[in-house]
Amino acid sequence: MSLKAPPSPAESGRGRGGRAPRPVSRRSGIARLGPLPWIAPVILLILAVVVWPVVELIRTSFLNISIAGKVRGSAGTDKFKKLFEESDFGSVLMWTVVWTVVVVTVTMLLSLALAQLFNQKFPGRRITRWALIAPWAASVLMTAIGFKWMLNQTAGVLNTLMLDLGLIDSSKDWLGKAETAWPWMMAVAVFVSLPFTTYTLLAGLQTIPQDVYEASRIDGAGPWQTYRHITLPMLRPAFLVGVVINLINVFNSFPIIWAMTQGGPGYDTSTSMVFMYKLKETDIGESAAMSVVNFLMVVVLVLIFLKVSRWNEED
């Protein structure tokens, strides 16, 4: 009696024509959409919160709108022409760029030093880390008002202390002039920006493996060489995040300036955000045009930084 081997799976699955039947797809219609059903709510949220307001803002800048909010027809590009013809427009843009660059630069340098300090072990490190959160936890508006009271000409703590120490002969109106108001407002902006930036850089420092530092010491690298060629390059992703977020936040900073000087006297301490807010009292369409300029400016600033920093290139 001869024994016959059982047919192989490939042979048993063949039809009469000798061809294997095509497998039946069990994927449902929803499965064919892939991740779309899960990311669709996020896309809709972005469209509703980001895209639609930008579109509406651009549309408003081409309309003639009364102070009461009534649309009186199209204005074409008249609002942009009126905006560009404002006598203070150029100085406001210049101070906006100076304000943003100075505050972000000083914030990043101080935060880099603080992050390096907090990454070391020393007595009281936990308490100092907690203390750094205070400016971040407090309201920006409340902090600005507190500094405004401190700088008050008649009852401010700073003038009182400096008079008692004989450093000044009479009380100074620190926020009454642009040359003294700008440094103080920049100092407040740096003060409230330090916590987030420091913790961002500190998180980046703590991701650097200690093995890399040990290898550099074995190779004979000094502290400065190690910091320059190992720490800074490996800290680059966290540094880029800190700079981009600070660029956007500082450029759009409104509470500090409005609470301390309201952009005055005149427009001497106004950034483009404060300038835009003041324009709405006389012309909503022109204010919307200023908003469009602000949006384009912050995009250009971020793109310039990303281009200069070569964020998508590997060292």
Side-chain angles (χ1 to χ4, degrees):
M1 187 174 76
S2 63
L3 297 177
K4 187 177 182 181
S8 64
E11 294 175 350
S12 61
R14 294 182 182 277
R16 293 182 178 179
R19 296 179 180 178
R22 184 175 298 176
V24 179
S25 176
R26 297 181 179 179
R27 299 182 65 186
S28 62
I30 297 179
R32 292 192 185 97
L33 297 177
L36 184 59
W38 285 268
I39 65 174
V42 178
I43 295 176
L44 293 176
L45 183 63
I46 293 175
L47 291 175
V49 177
V50 179
V51 178
W52 180 79
V54 172
V55 173
E56 188 65 19
L57 178 67
I58 296 174
R59 188 182 70 87
T60 304
S61 64
F62 292 98
L63 296 177
N64 187 10
I65 303 176
S66 66
I67 300 301
K70 183 178 180 181
V71 179
R72 295 177 176 175
S74 175
T77 58
D78 292 344
K79 300 302 178 182
F80 286 94
K81 293 179 181 178
K82 182 180 178 182
L83 174 66
F84 297 151
E85 291 173 357
E86 292 282 351
S87 59
D88 297 296
F89 180 73
S91 62
V92 166
L93 292 187
M94 180 195 70
W95 276 111
T96 301
V97 175
V98 172
W99 157 269
T100 304
V101 172
V102 170
V103 172
V104 172
T105 301
V106 175
T107 298
M108 295 307 300
L109 292 177
L110 292 179
S111 297
L112 189 60
L114 287 173
Q116 194 69 43
L117 173 64
F118 290 153
N119 197 40
Q120 308 298 321
K121 294 182 179 180
F122 59 89
R125 182 178 68 166
R126 180 176 299 179
I127 297 176
T128 55
R129 283 185 176 183
W130 289 348
L132 185 64
I133 302 177
W136 194 13
S139 167
V140 175
L141 181 61
M142 183 181 69
T143 303
I145 293 175
F147 272 91
K148 181 181 180 180
W149 289 345
M150 184 186 73
L151 299 171
N152 186 269
Q153 185 176 5
T154 57
V157 176
L158 182 63
N159 277 320
T160 303
L161 179 62
M162 294 183 73
L163 284 171
D164 293 341
L165 296 176
L167 299 177
I168 56 176
D169 297 328
S170 59
S171 298
K172 294 184 177 294
D173 187 8
W174 299 101
L175 300 178
K177 297 180 180 180
E179 55 266 24
T180 54
W182 275 117
W184 278 109
M185 291 190 299
M186 289 177 179
V188 175
V190 171
F191 178 72
V192 300
S193 302
L194 279 177
F196 168 80
T197 313
T198 300
Y199 276 103
T200 300
L201 297 179
L202 180 60
L205 286 174
Q206 292 180 344
T207 60
I208 301 177
Q210 292 300 318
D211 298 342
V212 181
Y213 290 117
E214 293 178 2
S216 68
R217 284 193 293 268
I218 294 174
D219 292 340
W224 171 244
Q225 291 177 323
T226 301
Y227 188 76
R228 180 182 175 185
H229 296 290
I230 294 179
T231 303
L232 289 180
M234 299 190 74
L235 192 60
R236 184 180 176 184
F239 193 86
L240 291 177
V241 170
V243 172
V244 171
I245 292 180
N246 274 292
L247 277 175
I248 297 172
N249 288 341
V250 173
F251 182 91
N252 293 317
S253 180
F254 175 82
I256 295 174
I257 298 175
W258 189 255
M260 296 182 72
T261 64
Q262 293 190 351
Y267 293 106
D268 290 346
T269 59
S270 293
T271 60
S272 57
M273 289 295 295
V274 178
F275 190 62
M276 174 202 69
Y277 184 79
K278 287 187 172 183
L279 287 176
K280 77 175 182 60
E281 299 176 357
T282 56
D283 194 330
I284 296 177
E286 187 179 5
S287 179
M290 188 69 238
S291 299
V292 174
V293 174
N294 285 341
F295 177 76
L296 295 177
M297 282 185 65
V298 71
V299 170
V300 169
L301 283 174
V302 172
L303 290 179
I304 290 175
F305 169 75
L306 294 178
K307 178 66 175 178
V308 172
S309 64
R310 298 177 296 177
W311 65 278
N312 58 344
E313 296 182 10
E314 294 290 340
D315 292 336

